[in-house]
Amino acid sequence: MSDDSKDTPSGAFIGYETCPVRRTLTVLNGKWKPLIIYELLPAPCRFNELKRRLPGVSQRLLTAQLRSLEEDGIVDRKVMEVVPPHVEYSLSEKGRSLQPVLQAMETWGENEVKNFPIS
Amino acid sequence: MSDDSKDTPSGAFIGYETCPVRRTLTVLNGKWKPLIIYELLPAPCRFNELKRRLPGVSQRLLTAQLRSLEEDGIVDRKVMEVVPPHVEYSLSEKGRSLQPVLQAMETWGENEVKNFPIS
DNA sequence: GTATGCAGTACCCTTTTGTATACTAGCTGC
DNA sequence: GCAGCTAGTATACAAAAGGGTACTGCATAC
């Protein structure tokens, strides 16, 4: 790797600079990222609260994906220097602009859950 | 794996049976799946043509993700028993119903590419 | 003194993805 | 006959992403 000045970021697709869908997928690439954004849409949330709302996610992964979303400018992280620690995650404007994508996923899923329930 | 009658499908989320977004993500979970669906939206496509349109994907992965999409009823696979082999992939009705999701991704990405070009 | 909550980090292991190559089957060219 | 073509499949192996759990430091609660 690092053969040239600008290498493909981790998880990015070849041609993601110009293909709109690839560009979006590069940002959403991560098992929990869309769900994190979905949970943050209504209101900001603290780390452990987010963890509780996303059953199945581990601390390690949640931390990693939040950091990645922060790097991409989707999520804002506000640390209050108190004890016990208080860290609040919220969507940036860029993050909120992903709402239509999550909305479309929600709508499709609702239809599936309605028409083809599993349990 | 396969310890019980019905295990969580590969890539599925806990609670995906009822959470709409998880349900959608379970189907779209796979680095290339949304792009495959995106490419198949306008018209059916053969394997190697699909591979050419998705620079960066390997045969192995493309095969695997197509099989998975087929299992989920998103993609139809039509084999013509001729030599050389001719296999055509197309979206099922269920697959086409994902268009709004891909459309939202495309729209968001277009805005990003326009406002924050990389190269 | 022990238990709990917060917001993580460190360690190790499994699954998924990426890369490369060899193989199928019949056809064309030499 | 042998090489190369199409449109894949199968296999092996390495790298990246995901997952489980223990642990930290400080504070309050019992």
Side-chain angles (χ1 to χ4, degrees):
Chain A
M1 280 212 196
S2 71
D3 36 79
D4 223 312
S5 52
K6 179 75 185 171
D7 212 337
T8 310
S10 153
F13 295 86
I14 294 170
Y16 76 106
E17 306 90 346
T18 50
C19 172
V21 179
R22 284 180 189 226
R23 183 72 168 258
T24 305
L25 287 172
T26 296
V27 166
L28 293 183
N29 182 313
K31 184 164 178 180
W32 298 93
K33 287 186 191 175
L35 285 170
I36 291 170
I37 297 166
Y38 183 63
E39 290 298 336
L40 289 180
L41 274 173
C45 194
R46 295 174 66 176
F47 182 87
N48 275 356
E49 173 63 19
L50 210 45
K51 187 154 107 59
R52 273 189 292 272
R53 288 204 212 159
L54 298 172
V57 75
S58 65
Q59 290 116 305
R60 209 188 64 76
L61 251 288
L62 184 53
T63 304
Q65 310 243 314
L66 280 167
R67 290 283 184 284
S68 175
L69 286 170
E70 204 191 340
E71 264 182 52
D72 286 332
I74 305 295
V75 156
D76 289 330
R77 180 168 178 265
K78 196 162 60 182
V79 183
M80 273 79 128
E81 292 289 358
V82 292
V83 170
H86 186 123
V87 179
E88 199 175 76
Y89 291 95
S90 57
L91 289 181
S92 67
E93 197 176 324
K94 188 173 169 183
R96 276 190 300 278
S97 74
L98 280 164
Q99 177 163 21
V101 178
L102 278 302
Q103 184 67 56
M105 288 185 185
E106 187 186 31
T107 302
W108 191 87
E110 271 167 1
N111 228 45
E112 280 295 299
V113 172
K114 204 161 38 182
N115 295 332
F116 309 100
I118 293 178
S119 54
Chain B
M1 275 208 201
S2 69
D3 37 78
D4 221 313
S5 52
K6 180 72 184 173
D7 213 337
T8 309
S10 153
F13 294 86
I14 295 170
Y16 77 104
E17 306 90 347
T18 50
C19 172
V21 179
R22 284 181 189 226
R23 183 70 168 259
T24 305
L25 287 171
T26 296
V27 167
L28 293 182
N29 183 314
K31 184 163 179 180
W32 298 91
K33 287 185 191 175
L35 285 170
I36 292 170
I37 297 166
Y38 183 62
E39 291 298 336
L40 289 180
L41 274 173
C45 194
R46 295 174 67 176
F47 184 87
N48 272 357
E49 173 62 18
L50 209 46
K51 186 153 109 58
R52 273 187 292 273
R53 288 203 210 161
L54 297 172
V57 75
S58 65
Q59 289 118 308
R60 209 185 62 80
L61 251 288
L62 184 53
T63 304
Q65 309 243 314
L66 281 167
R67 290 285 182 285
S68 175
L69 285 170
E70 204 191 341
E71 265 181 52
D72 287 332
I74 304 295
V75 157
D76 289 330
R77 180 167 179 267
K78 196 162 60 183
V79 182
M80 272 79 128
E81 293 288 358
V82 293
V83 170
H86 186 124
V87 180
E88 198 175 74
Y89 293 95
S90 58
L91 289 181
S92 67
E93 197 176 326
K94 187 172 169 184
R96 276 191 299 278
S97 73
L98 279 163
Q99 178 164 19
V101 178
L102 278 303
Q103 184 66 58
M105 287 186 185
E106 188 187 30
T107 302
W108 191 87
E110 271 167 359
N111 228 45
E112 279 293 300
V113 172
K114 205 162 32 184
N115 295 331
F116 309 100
I118 293 179
S119 54

